Amino acid sequence: IMNTFGLIQIGLILSCTTTISSLQCNHLPLQQRKVIENSLRLLDKMGKKFPQQCLREKMSFKFPTQVLQPRQKDTVGVAIEEIFQHIFYIFSKNLTLAAWDGTALDEFQNGLYRQIEQLEECVIKKHSHYRWSKAASRLKLKKYFQKIDCFLQDKQHDLCSWEISRAEMRRCLQLIDKVTRKL
């Protein structure tokens, strides 16, 4: 009798966990908008105004907007998750010359990390049969972020390269925000 009771308890816990998880997934677009709004606020808080001495170093990275325009909502979710991973990667290294607010940077990274986990749970794992079929889109994203990473390396992660990258990540997050509002 005890074993049956134990199994029933485990079953109830698992069903509650699944229900909570699916409820979180149902509100994913709203959560994404909040995370993006918070990330944009933190990007502003991390640094001051764009330094005047960096204006002449402007760089155009050209975000591949087509990766956020597929017909399937899940594909957009997978693309957004990948974008967040790239942003997290870029903002996780060689930040010594950035001269940013450390607390805001930590909050920014933590928010991205939590959102990546949420997207993995809601989009990727739920649709494990579904692969991001557009290898070309994935490649375009990779090239875009490699360009930013190479720019940072070429400039030896100096203040201006970080400020230009921060401004670019702001544009990137604004594009994602625009897309998630339409979902």
Side-chain angles (χ1 to χ4, degrees):
I1 293 175
M2 190 60 176
N3 285 344
T4 307
F5 183 69
L7 288 173
I8 290 171
Q9 284 181 317
I10 291 170
L12 285 171
I13 290 169
L14 287 173
S15 69
C16 287
T17 306
T18 305
T19 304
I20 290 167
S21 177
S22 67
L23 285 173
Q24 287 176 334
C25 293
N26 290 340
H27 299 291
L28 190 61
L30 178 63
Q31 288 173 336
Q32 281 180 323
R33 284 198 302 271
K34 286 181 181 177
V35 167
I36 290 167
E37 285 172 17
N38 192 43
S39 294
L40 288 168
R41 184 185 58 74
L42 288 168
L43 275 174
D44 287 343
K45 189 178 174 188
M46 277 165 41
K48 310 283 186 268
K49 284 189 174 182
F50 193 84
Q52 291 292 319
Q53 74 264 28
C54 300
L55 287 174
R56 57 182 151 61
E57 285 190 49
K58 280 283 188 179
M59 175 79 176
S60 177
F61 296 105
K62 293 185 180 118
F63 182 84
T65 53
Q66 65 273 26
V67 301
L68 292 174
Q69 296 171 340
R71 292 165 196 32
Q72 287 182 295
K73 193 166 134 180
D74 297 334
T75 308
V76 172
V78 174
I80 291 170
E81 188 263 345
E82 188 148 319
I83 291 165
F84 285 164
Q85 282 187 353
H86 284 291
I87 294 172
F88 183 82
Y89 171 76
I90 283 177
F91 280 86
S92 297
K93 55 186 206 164
N94 296 319
L95 290 162
T96 52
L97 298 174
W100 291 334
D101 178 317
T103 305
L105 176 62
D106 288 343
E107 287 178 34
F108 175 74
Q109 289 170 323
N110 289 334
L112 279 175
Y113 184 78
R114 283 192 304 274
Q115 191 61 22
I116 289 166
E117 284 187 325
Q118 184 77 36
L119 281 163
E120 282 177 350
E121 187 175 310
C122 294
V123 179
I124 309 218
K125 288 181 182 166
K126 275 194 163 185
H127 304 282
S128 57
H129 64 281
Y130 179 80
R131 295 284 175 253
W132 197 23
S133 58
K134 301 274 187 183
S137 293
R138 189 172 230 161
L139 187 61
K140 285 175 185 170
L141 266 182
K142 189 175 181 177
K143 283 182 179 180
Y144 166 75
F145 283 101
Q146 276 180 335
K147 200 177 196 182
I148 295 168
D149 197 30
C150 287
F151 172 72
L152 284 163
Q153 287 175 25
D154 290 347
K155 297 291 183 173
Q156 299 175 340
H157 296 87
D158 69 359
L159 172 71
C160 287
S161 67
W162 274 118
E163 288 299 330
I164 290 167
S165 298
R166 184 170 67 111
E168 185 63 22
M169 293 307 102
R170 175 172 240 305
R171 279 189 292 277
C172 186
L173 289 170
Q174 287 169 332
L175 282 168
I176 293 171
D177 184 48
K178 196 172 165 183
V179 168
T180 55
R181 288 180 188 280
K182 291 177 183 175
L183 294 178

